[in-house]
Amino acid sequence: MGNRFQVRDRFADGAQFIGGRTRPGTSGRTHAVVDPATGEEIHRYELAGPADVDAAVAAARAAFPGWAGATPGERSDALHRLVGILAEQADDFAYAESLQCGKPIRLSTEFDVPGTVDNTAFFAGAARHLEGASAGEYSADHTSYVRREPIGVIGSIAPWNYPLQMAAWKILPAVAAGNTIVLKPAEITPFTSLMFARAARRAGIPDGVINIVTGAGPEAGEHLVGHPDVVMVSFTGSTSVGRRVAGIATSTVKRLHLELGGKAPFLVFDDADLEAAVHGAVAGSLINGGQDCTAATRAYVQRPLYDAFVSGVAELMETVRLGDPLDPATDLGPLISHAHRDRVAGFVDRARAHARVVTGGRAPGGDLANGAYYRPTLVADAAQDSEIVRSEIFGPVLVALPFDSDDDGILLANDSPYGLAASAWSRDVYRTGRATREIKAGCVWVNDHIPIISEMPHGGYKASGFGKDMSAYSFEEYTQVKHVMYDNTAVARKDWHRTIFGDRT
């Protein structure tokens, strides 16, 4: 896969991809991408400013008529070619993703990249199935049918925790439906979004259909969200920033899709398979260093299993191997930055006054001291209204609390402003059935936590936002539904006209 600094040559032309060409940003400011495993600068590039956003939107607007007018089959064929190119470049994508994010290469190789290839294959097929209601005479005198049409230029903002997958989740349904897009990746993780756009051009997707502007949120992001030629905004990120995005977008009456924060409950009933729940909790809380809005964060365990669950999770967490993210033996890499690591540590340190840190709760020393590492952490016996239970930590931290009755467990699971994901663990189909009905979240897993598939939607309730990524449901975000109605009578004077200009003899 090459050495750590090969990326400097690969992105020497700049971190903006506009109208099919890579170029530097024009903000007059630069940004350093830092390897979170070492604290070393990997690459420095010129940030995008408002002029770059304007150029990208103009390129997308110019490309829209041609791409919207392409047949579904033509769009599908281009996406199928993209599948092959992504698969061919899988190792490069995995390396770049792990390098910029610090995620273990096993996760990039076995989850992020193949998941993106699969998403692309799904939308290559879905492009041919933009269906509406079948034609029919819903009025006796008329034939009606529904068209799904692309809506125009989409402005999307993707986060830093899954840069490749989130770029794909934004780009694929938009372009499969015939839209064009300007995507702003997080400025700290630009590489794989740029690589994806280049691969799309190689696949034959026309210049201007996919554009990347890499800049700071207050400058490039807000200008994109408020741009008059952007007709829809899709944002994934924190709830606090989502509120700001919503305010700017709605002031110009844009369509809006928000996928925001989460604080997923992990509900373990007293008849659950304890070993499965322990393994599921460790995997579900530590995936991507816990920097996942669907990660298991609040384990509510019915009292007969509580002590055994806590000891089992702590024992398993202590076996997790921290190390170089590019080493296939590494289980857990660094967090995205030293500042974020310190933020996570702050939550745990403040919780010590009222809760028990069972394992972890500190950064490792030795060979890992220069990286943004934090040990897998289990906190037990915190109060339900405490900060560590209610706030999104976004790190390798699981909080465990006991509950008594099933009613209490479901009540606690729902006692959160968020509602993105949850899981329920039990051998009783009636218990899990109740949990799936009553837990207010966009996804509820039963006896598992985390798996996602391209065919099923991803999106939340409450402060976790609204709208769906992935699946055919995402086309509801990226298409305009139009009702077409034909008169079948060929009659000039219709009965209903009397309601407007009265009886005529």
Side-chain angles (χ1 to χ4, degrees):
M1 292 184 185
N3 62 55
R4 288 180 182 272
F5 300 101
Q6 190 180 39
V7 70
R8 289 179 174 170
D9 295 331
R10 193 174 290 245
F11 299 101
D13 293 337
Q16 321 304 324
F17 187 84
I18 298 172
R21 300 290 182 273
T22 304
R23 66 193 218 186
T26 62
S27 69
R29 295 184 297 112
T30 63
H31 182 81
V33 179
V34 174
D35 180 352
T38 64
E40 297 174 356
E41 181 177 314
I42 304 169
H43 184 56
R44 183 174 291 273
Y45 67 91
E46 297 84 359
L47 286 163
D52 302 299
V53 173
D54 290 343
V57 172
R61 186 178 182 189
F64 176 70
W67 185 245
T71 67
E74 289 168 337
R75 293 197 291 266
S76 176
D77 287 348
L79 290 173
H80 276 299
R81 291 192 295 271
L82 179 57
V83 173
I85 293 168
L86 296 175
E88 172 190 307
Q89 299 177 357
D91 285 349
D92 283 350
F93 273 101
Y95 171 77
E97 194 77 338
S98 288
L99 182 62
Q100 66 183 353
C101 298
K103 66 178 66 191
I105 193 67
R106 288 206 320 267
L107 184 66
S108 295
T109 301
E110 299 178 23
F111 180 71
D112 295 70
V113 174
T116 300
V117 174
D118 188 71
N119 287 166
T120 308
F122 173 82
F123 281 107
R128 291 179 177 265
H129 296 283
L130 286 166
E131 298 175 346
S134 59
E137 286 65 54
Y138 302 98
S139 154
D141 294 335
H142 304 85
T143 295
S144 289
Y145 68 90
V146 169
R147 291 175 54 88
R148 280 191 178 274
E149 298 178 348
I151 57 178
V153 177
I154 312 300
S156 290
I157 299 176
W160 50 257
N161 57 332
Y162 289 101
L164 175 60
Q165 289 209 76
M166 295 297 157
W169 286 12
K170 302 297 184 192
I171 292 168
L172 291 168
V175 301
N179 300 287
T180 57
I181 187 168
V182 178
L183 173 78
K184 192 198 89 65
E187 61 269 33
I188 59 176
T189 54
F191 301 145
T192 47
S193 298
L194 291 163
M195 292 167 66
F196 189 93
R198 291 174 177 176
R201 184 175 191 269
R202 184 179 159 197
I205 294 176
D207 293 348
V209 172
I210 299 171
N211 305 275
I212 310 293
V213 290
T214 311
E219 189 173 10
E222 292 193 8
H223 191 65
L224 177 62
V225 170
H227 199 288
D229 291 333
V230 169
V231 297
M232 172 186 162
V233 169
S234 178
F235 170 80
T236 296
S238 70
T239 297
S240 59
V241 178
R243 292 190 184 100
R244 172 67 177 164
V245 169
I248 297 171
T250 55
S251 69
T252 52
V253 199
K254 299 185 194 309
R255 188 178 295 196
L256 185 61
H257 168 214
L258 298 174
E259 198 268 273
L260 306 176
K263 190 73 176 176
F266 188 97
L267 186 61
V268 183
F269 294 100
D270 58 14
D271 67 334
D273 181 327
L274 179 61
E275 182 182 14
V278 165
H279 282 77
V282 173
S285 62
L286 299 186
I287 185 171
N288 204 38
Q291 299 166 127
D292 185 312
C293 47
T294 63
T297 58
R298 298 179 289 140
Y300 297 106
V301 185
Q302 208 150 20
R303 206 168 292 275
L305 292 185
Y306 180 69
D307 290 340
F309 177 88
V310 169
S311 62
V313 167
E315 182 179 346
L316 188 55
M317 278 186 169
E318 288 165 5
T319 70
V320 171
R321 297 167 296 189
L322 280 69
D324 182 347
L326 299 179
D327 182 348
T330 293
D331 297 324
L332 189 69
L335 300 182
I336 189 66
S337 69
H338 290 77
H340 185 63
R341 190 268 312 275
D342 294 345
R343 176 183 177 275
V344 170
F347 280 103
V348 177
D349 291 343
R350 290 189 295 275
R352 295 179 194 275
H354 60 83
R356 176 166 54 105
V357 178
V358 183
T359 189
R362 60 187 176 87
D367 293 341
L368 304 181
N370 290 333
Y373 291 89
Y374 196 74
R375 291 197 177 279
T377 299
L378 176 63
V379 177
D381 308 332
Q384 174 65 15
D385 62 355
S386 63
E387 176 194 50
I388 202 162
V389 174
R390 302 199 67 79
S391 298
E392 187 174 31
I393 300 170
F394 227 56
V397 179
L398 177 65
V399 183
L401 300 86
F403 71 92
D404 292 306
S405 70
D406 289 15
D407 289 348
D408 291 338
I410 291 175
L411 185 66
L412 289 167
N414 283 329
D415 184 21
S416 170
Y418 300 107
L420 187 60
S423 62
W425 298 73
S426 172
R427 293 182 172 96
D428 186 329
V429 66
Y430 297 103
R431 270 179 153 173
T432 57
R434 179 189 177 190
T436 61
R437 292 190 302 272
E438 296 186 13
I439 292 175
K440 304 304 181 187
C443 174
V444 181
W445 292 284
V446 176
N447 295 323
D448 207 344
H449 195 108
I450 284 298
I452 55 175
I453 50 175
S454 298
E455 291 82 0
M456 289 292 113
H458 174 87
Y461 286 32
K462 302 187 288 188
S464 292
F466 47 82
K468 301 299 179 184
D469 289 312
M470 299 198 298
S471 82
Y473 292 98
S474 65
F475 283 133
E476 295 176 7
E477 314 298 323
Y478 294 100
T479 56
Q480 188 72 262
V481 175
K482 177 185 289 184
H483 171 213
V484 178
M485 192 178 216
Y486 281 91
D487 170 65
N488 292 332
T489 66
V491 173
R493 297 186 178 184
K494 295 177 171 57
D495 286 345
W496 71 268
H497 292 176
R498 293 183 301 106
T499 64
I500 308 303
F501 45 83
D503 291 335
R504 294 289 186 270
T505 57

